[in-house]
Amino acid sequence: MIRKNPDRGSEAQWELTAARSRRRQPASASPRIRLLGDRVLQDVAWKAAVLLGWPDTYDAEYVALTQLHADALITLDRQLADAVKDLVTIAPLEALY
């Protein structure tokens, strides 16, 4: 929450009151989920890229995200699916329905 601070001079009239804002948030606003930081994702992606002999992590980031979420990868890219089938579970598009 940002509020105007009338006690301050013209140089700092607005003040962020994060603690007050957090107290007003309902419990549903902060679900208990695991957040995957960029460093974790990038580290797992680099490991996958090195293992697969890829020069970058573009496709490996999808693999890393799938691994970190313990999920299945759904892709229409047959070459990608064949390359990563030993690293992650590959599911058909119909699995979404």
Side-chain angles (χ1 to χ4, degrees), residues 13-96:
Q13 293 183 4
W14 297 92
E15 181 178 301
L16 176 65
T17 56
R20 175 182 263 175
S21 177
R22 281 193 298 273
R23 284 194 303 268
R24 291 180 183 222
Q25 288 179 340
S28 63
S30 56
R32 294 181 180 182
I33 59 173
R34 178 178 172 211
L35 299 177
L36 300 172
D38 288 339
R39 286 185 181 176
V40 173
L41 180 65
Q42 201 63 49
D43 184 50
V44 174
W46 272 115
K47 288 177 183 175
V50 167
L51 185 65
L52 295 166
W54 293 344
D56 58 49
T57 62
Y58 183 82
D59 288 333
E61 289 185 27
Y62 292 102
V63 174
L65 192 59
T66 302
Q67 289 175 327
L68 291 169
H69 278 277
D71 212 337
L73 179 67
I74 297 174
T75 180
L76 297 176
D77 184 339
R78 209 60 243 150
Q79 287 181 321
L80 175 63
D82 289 341
V84 302
K85 66 184 176 199
D86 293 332
L87 299 179
V88 294
T89 301
I90 305 298
L93 182 62
E94 294 77 29
L96 294 174

